[in-house]
Amino acid sequence: MTTIASNLQAVRAAIIDAATGAGRRADEVSLLAVSKTFAQDAVRDAYQAGQTRFAESYVQEALGKISALHDLPIEWHYIGPIQSNKTRAIAENFAWVHSVDRINIAERLSAQRPAHLPPIQVCIQVNISGEGSKSGVSPDQLSILAQAIAKLPGLKLRGLMAIPAPVDNVAAQHLPFAQLRELFNQLNQQGLKLDTLSMGMSHDFAAAIAEGATIVRIGSAIFGQREYP
Ligand SMILES: *Cc1c(COP(=O)(O)O)cnc(C)c1O
């Protein structure tokens, strides 16, 4: 077994533990493998070990991998920052986008989605911790943005995503995830039909699952430490 295959097996077991420990069914939580900075061979290893959903954060890097891996029926998710000059490439190449945080980007993605493809499955990124990540809509602007995105024909609004500021204490990891779930509940009470909470990474996915995550985005626990140039 490759290292990636055994890491995947351990991550899957930990997801099942976290879900059942929280009184949830394990199949309510989907594993998204974050392959940014890792070569196409790493993605192939993970695919051979049964992983079909992968996420990337840098458009240029992702396009190379998507084209090199065209022989595999991978579902590609975009989770990185979105510049307006990259929306067309994103709209043409990804099934999901988790990092939409402003209306002009959403409108461009919708308009540029090729007609022969289904709508892009979208999560709105929320700046839940205030500091930490600078990306994301603030919680008080979320409802207006969500209602506007829900009307765009090229997008299907599925839910919310957040990257909380890292904290070392496990108990403190729960709070931002609970806050995101509360915002999600409020939007559904306002009539939206959201089913996705994209939250939890290698260091905090157990807390995210306990608070209702339906997609966890995990990179280093599967592929190893990233080295940035
Ligand atoms: C890199 C990244 C991840 C994965 O982080 P790990 O700590 O390696 O699991 C998840 N979500 C986003 C948005 C990322 O950029």
Side-chain angles (χ1 to χ4, degrees):
M1 203 193 278
T2 64
T3 307
I4 287 173
S6 69
N7 288 347
L8 257 176
Q9 202 172 60
V11 167
R12 286 190 194 119
I15 289 172
I16 292 170
D17 273 0
T20 52
R24 303 181 59 200
R25 291 201 331 262
D27 65 4
E28 293 170 16
V29 184
S30 176
L31 172 58
L32 184 55
V34 179
S35 49
K36 67 177 180 219
T37 79
F38 292 98
Q40 56 148 313
D41 288 348
V43 177
R44 282 189 191 279
D45 279 355
Y47 181 85
Q48 293 309 328
Q51 181 64 29
T52 57
R53 309 177 100 191
F54 290 86
E56 290 283 332
S57 296
Y58 311 108
V59 176
Q60 230 33 59
E61 179 198 346
L63 294 182
K65 251 178 262 182
I66 291 172
S67 129
L69 294 161
H70 226 85
D71 55 309
L72 305 180
I74 287 174
E75 183 182 84
W76 289 103
H77 294 231
Y78 187 76
I79 61 173
I82 309 176
Q83 294 162 342
S84 44
N85 63 350
K86 297 285 167 57
T87 52
R88 184 175 299 279
I90 294 170
E92 290 176 348
N93 287 283
F94 288 87
W96 282 70
V97 179
H98 294 232
S99 44
V100 176
D101 63 0
R102 50 198 198 277
I103 190 62
N104 68 314
I105 292 292
E107 286 170 348
R108 289 177 67 93
L109 289 170
S110 176
Q112 292 168 342
R113 181 63 162 177
H116 69 277
L117 295 176
I120 307 173
Q121 309 299 300
V122 162
C123 291
I124 296 176
Q125 184 174 351
V126 182
N127 189 352
I128 205 77
S129 309
E131 1 76 67
S133 155
K134 293 249 165 35
S135 304
V137 66
S138 68
D140 55 313
Q141 300 295 313
L142 171 62
S143 172
I144 290 171
L145 179 62
Q147 297 291 346
I149 289 178
K151 296 191 179 79
L152 295 174
L155 307 183
K156 168 96 179 117
L157 181 60
R158 296 294 297 271
L160 304 180
M161 183 273 248
I163 312 171
V167 287
D168 31 13
N169 151 1
V170 172
Q173 289 179 348
H174 286 252
L175 179 62
F177 296 135
Q179 289 170 330
L180 195 70
R181 184 194 53 204
E182 182 55 31
L183 293 169
F184 169 92
N185 290 342
Q186 286 170 12
L187 292 175
N188 279 336
Q189 280 155 18
Q190 292 167 18
L192 293 174
K193 295 199 167 58
L194 307 184
D195 62 9
T196 301
L197 272 170
S198 169
M199 55 188 199
M201 309 181 10
S202 294
H203 65 285
D204 58 9
F205 69 87
I209 289 169
E211 299 299 340
T214 65
I215 297 182
V216 290
R217 309 177 310 270
I218 299 187
S220 47
I222 297 171
F223 296 108
Q225 282 309 109
R226 278 182 297 277
E227 285 171 30
Y228 291 98

Short mmCIF file of all heavy atoms in Angstrom, two decimals, residues 34 36 57 79 161 163 201-203 217-221 226 228, ligand 1:
data_model
loop_
_atom_site.label_atom_id
_atom_site.label_comp_id
_atom_site.label_asym_id
_atom_site.label_seq_id
_atom_site.Cartn_x
_atom_site.Cartn_y
_atom_site.Cartn_z
N VAL A 34 -7.49 17.63 -0.75
CA VAL A 34 -6.91 18.89 -1.23
C VAL A 34 -5.50 18.61 -1.76
O VAL A 34 -4.56 18.38 -1.00
CB VAL A 34 -6.87 19.93 -0.09
CG1 VAL A 34 -6.25 21.23 -0.60
CG2 VAL A 34 -8.28 20.19 0.44
N LYS A 36 -3.56 20.59 -3.76
CA LYS A 36 -2.73 21.74 -4.15
C LYS A 36 -1.27 21.51 -3.76
O LYS A 36 -1.01 20.98 -2.67
CB LYS A 36 -3.24 23.03 -3.51
CG LYS A 36 -3.08 23.04 -2.01
CD LYS A 36 -3.52 24.35 -1.39
CE LYS A 36 -3.31 24.28 0.10
NZ LYS A 36 -4.38 24.92 0.86
N SER A 57 -6.36 25.05 -5.19
CA SER A 57 -6.45 26.44 -4.72
C SER A 57 -5.81 27.45 -5.66
O SER A 57 -5.94 28.64 -5.43
CB SER A 57 -5.74 26.60 -3.38
OG SER A 57 -6.37 25.84 -2.39
N ILE A 79 -11.14 25.82 -4.36
CA ILE A 79 -11.29 26.32 -2.99
C ILE A 79 -10.42 27.53 -2.70
O ILE A 79 -10.34 27.97 -1.56
CB ILE A 79 -10.98 25.20 -1.96
CG1 ILE A 79 -9.54 24.70 -2.11
CG2 ILE A 79 -11.98 24.04 -2.10
CD1 ILE A 79 -9.12 23.70 -1.01
N MET A 161 -18.90 27.88 3.35
CA MET A 161 -17.53 27.40 3.62
C MET A 161 -16.84 28.41 4.53
O MET A 161 -17.10 29.60 4.45
CB MET A 161 -16.76 27.28 2.30
CG MET A 161 -15.35 26.73 2.44
SD MET A 161 -14.09 27.95 2.78
CE MET A 161 -13.16 27.90 1.25
N ILE A 163 -12.82 29.07 6.72
CA ILE A 163 -11.47 28.67 7.16
C ILE A 163 -11.20 29.44 8.45
O ILE A 163 -10.66 30.53 8.41
CB ILE A 163 -10.40 29.04 6.11
CG1 ILE A 163 -10.81 28.61 4.70
CG2 ILE A 163 -9.05 28.45 6.49
CD1 ILE A 163 -9.89 29.15 3.61
N MET A 201 -10.39 21.03 8.26
CA MET A 201 -9.17 20.70 7.53
C MET A 201 -8.41 19.65 8.35
O MET A 201 -8.94 19.09 9.30
CB MET A 201 -8.34 21.98 7.31
CG MET A 201 -9.22 23.06 6.71
SD MET A 201 -8.57 24.70 6.28
CE MET A 201 -6.82 24.64 6.42
N SER A 202 -7.15 19.39 7.98
CA SER A 202 -6.43 18.28 8.64
C SER A 202 -6.39 18.42 10.16
O SER A 202 -6.50 17.42 10.87
CB SER A 202 -4.99 18.19 8.11
OG SER A 202 -4.99 17.81 6.74
N HIS A 203 -6.24 19.67 10.66
CA HIS A 203 -6.02 19.82 12.10
C HIS A 203 -7.31 19.98 12.90
O HIS A 203 -7.27 19.95 14.12
CB HIS A 203 -5.11 21.03 12.36
CG HIS A 203 -5.73 22.33 11.97
ND1 HIS A 203 -5.86 22.70 10.64
CD2 HIS A 203 -6.30 23.31 12.70
CE1 HIS A 203 -6.47 23.87 10.58
NE2 HIS A 203 -6.75 24.26 11.81
N ARG A 217 -12.32 19.31 4.02
CA ARG A 217 -11.30 19.55 2.99
C ARG A 217 -9.94 19.21 3.58
O ARG A 217 -9.41 19.96 4.40
CB ARG A 217 -11.33 21.02 2.55
CG ARG A 217 -12.72 21.54 2.15
CD ARG A 217 -12.64 23.03 1.79
NE ARG A 217 -11.95 23.80 2.80
CZ ARG A 217 -12.54 24.37 3.85
NH1 ARG A 217 -13.84 24.32 4.01
NH2 ARG A 217 -11.81 25.03 4.74
N ILE A 218 -9.37 18.08 3.19
CA ILE A 218 -8.18 17.59 3.87
C ILE A 218 -7.02 17.40 2.90
O ILE A 218 -7.14 16.69 1.91
CB ILE A 218 -8.51 16.29 4.62
CG1 ILE A 218 -9.62 16.59 5.65
CG2 ILE A 218 -7.27 15.71 5.27
CD1 ILE A 218 -9.95 15.47 6.57
N GLY A 219 -5.91 18.08 3.21
CA GLY A 219 -4.73 18.00 2.37
C GLY A 219 -3.58 17.26 3.01
O GLY A 219 -3.30 16.11 2.70
N SER A 220 -2.92 17.92 3.98
CA SER A 220 -1.66 17.36 4.50
C SER A 220 -1.83 16.01 5.20
O SER A 220 -0.92 15.19 5.14
CB SER A 220 -0.98 18.38 5.42
OG SER A 220 -1.90 18.93 6.33
N ALA A 221 -2.96 15.75 5.81
CA ALA A 221 -3.14 14.44 6.46
C ALA A 221 -3.19 13.31 5.43
O ALA A 221 -2.97 12.15 5.78
CB ALA A 221 -4.42 14.44 7.32
N ARG A 226 3.00 20.21 2.93
CA ARG A 226 3.21 20.96 1.68
C ARG A 226 4.50 21.75 1.77
O ARG A 226 4.83 22.29 2.82
CB ARG A 226 2.06 21.93 1.42
CG ARG A 226 0.85 21.29 0.80
CD ARG A 226 -0.22 22.33 0.53
NE ARG A 226 -0.69 22.94 1.76
CZ ARG A 226 -1.61 22.42 2.55
NH1 ARG A 226 -2.17 21.26 2.23
NH2 ARG A 226 -1.98 23.02 3.65
N TYR A 228 6.03 25.04 0.02
CA TYR A 228 5.78 26.15 -0.90
C TYR A 228 7.11 26.64 -1.44
O TYR A 228 8.10 26.65 -0.74
CB TYR A 228 5.04 27.27 -0.17
CG TYR A 228 3.62 26.88 0.18
CD1 TYR A 228 3.32 26.41 1.46
CD2 TYR A 228 2.62 26.96 -0.77
CE1 TYR A 228 2.02 26.05 1.78
CE2 TYR A 228 1.33 26.59 -0.44
CZ TYR A 228 1.03 26.15 0.84
OH TYR A 228 -0.24 25.77 1.15
C1 LIG B 1 -4.99 23.99 1.78
C2 LIG B 1 -6.43 24.05 2.14
C3 LIG B 1 -7.05 23.01 2.84
C4 LIG B 1 -6.32 21.78 3.35
O1 LIG B 1 -5.50 22.09 4.42
P1 LIG B 1 -4.75 20.93 5.27
O2 LIG B 1 -4.42 21.61 6.53
O3 LIG B 1 -3.57 20.55 4.47
O4 LIG B 1 -5.70 19.82 5.43
C5 LIG B 1 -8.40 23.12 3.08
N1 LIG B 1 -9.12 24.19 2.70
C6 LIG B 1 -8.55 25.21 2.02
C7 LIG B 1 -9.40 26.36 1.59
C8 LIG B 1 -7.19 25.18 1.72
O5 LIG B 1 -6.64 26.22 1.07
#
